[in-house]
Amino acid sequence: MEPTVEITSTHNPRIKRVAKLAHRSTRDELRQTVVEGIREISLALQNGVVPIEAYICNETLPERDPDVAAIFDRLHKLATEGRTELIGVSPAVFEKIAYRGESGGVLLVVPYSERTLSSLTLPDPPLVVVVEDAEKPGNLGAILRTADAAGVDALIIPLRDHAIQNTRTKGTDIYNPNVIRASLGAAFTIPQIVAPAWDVIHWLREQAIHIVAAVPEADTLYTATDLTRPTAIVMGSEAWGLSDEWQQAADTLVRIPMSGSVDSLNLSTSTALLVYEAVRQRSLPG
């Protein structure tokens, strides 16, 4: 597969632009992010993501890898259709734009998802996860992996009032390349929606989805509430907790029992406990 452009200078304007996607402000301005890693790219392409650009470093591509061959087949088709531009780069250039080593010699620039709450098609009963202000990309990526494994129907990232104008929360953003890498590609298998918190709350109520929010001070254990009905599991970050807005909107407040000296569990661990409790309850005989 021959790229249409070859770049060997790290000072090339395209390369500088891609490198700047490391910064959230640039991602939000361009509404683009990067995907690297053979597994992650494979899942992105399999789930209908159409890259704007594909940067390929032949010198660092894995040899005789069937996944790479499948990636190239798909990219070639998209390039032939004029939907993706293929760009060859030198090892030095690829090192500048790649987030991590062992990226497999391919990096995609992809657009933000335009999926909205109203576009979601949910089964009955739905199970969605709402995560407010996740502090660390690794936690958000791990939550996506749990959601994929457990069959969660969507991950929703609500924006607080102060975040609406610049689309930011206090926490990490869903388009952080480290979230995508930590998700091992589940970022492309689970529908993700970013929307103002009041829109999310209104939509959940409109859909008759029971809001279950986890807070340390709740009286009810998470195992003692009914998660078999249409449910939204709402989680806040370890650093800032769950906002008053979501605590007031919740139909049920639950807690995870804590017997030790540490005052909180890891966010992804806590989310996994509640999600798999829902899976357990839903798997019980009639």
Side-chain angles (χ1 to χ4, degrees), residues 131-213:
V131 179
E132 181 184 58
D133 292 344
E135 184 183 9
K136 298 176 182 177
N139 279 338
L140 204 48
I143 289 170
L144 282 163
R145 290 163 62 184
T146 295
D148 176 84
V152 168
D153 300 306
L155 172 68
I156 301 174
I157 307 298
L159 302 177
R160 297 198 195 197
D161 293 358
H162 67 79
I164 302 306
Q165 294 302 317
N166 60 5
T167 72
R168 298 192 188 190
T169 64
K170 291 195 296 185
T172 192
D173 65 299
I174 200 71
Y175 297 106
N176 186 315
N178 288 322
V179 172
I180 297 171
R181 284 302 298 265
S183 80
L184 300 182
F188 304 108
T189 65
I190 297 297
Q192 300 164 61
I193 309 292
V194 179
W198 60 77
D199 286 354
V200 178
I201 293 167
H202 174 76
W203 178 81
L204 290 171
R205 288 175 174 160
E206 190 177 59
Q207 300 296 314
I209 296 176
H210 195 81
I211 301 174
V212 177

Side-chain angles (χ1 to χ4, degrees), residues 35-38 41 55-56 61 72 75 94 103-108:
V35 184
E36 59 179 342
I38 299 303
I41 288 174
Y55 291 84
I56 301 161
L61 287 172
F72 278 14
L75 291 177
F94 193 81
S103 292
V106 184
L107 180 145
L108 307 182

Side-chain angles (χ1 to χ4, degrees), residues 32-45:
Q32 298 173 3
T33 189
V34 301
V35 184
E36 59 179 342
I38 299 303
R39 173 168 39 192
E40 292 82 353
I41 288 174
S42 294
L43 284 171
L45 295 175

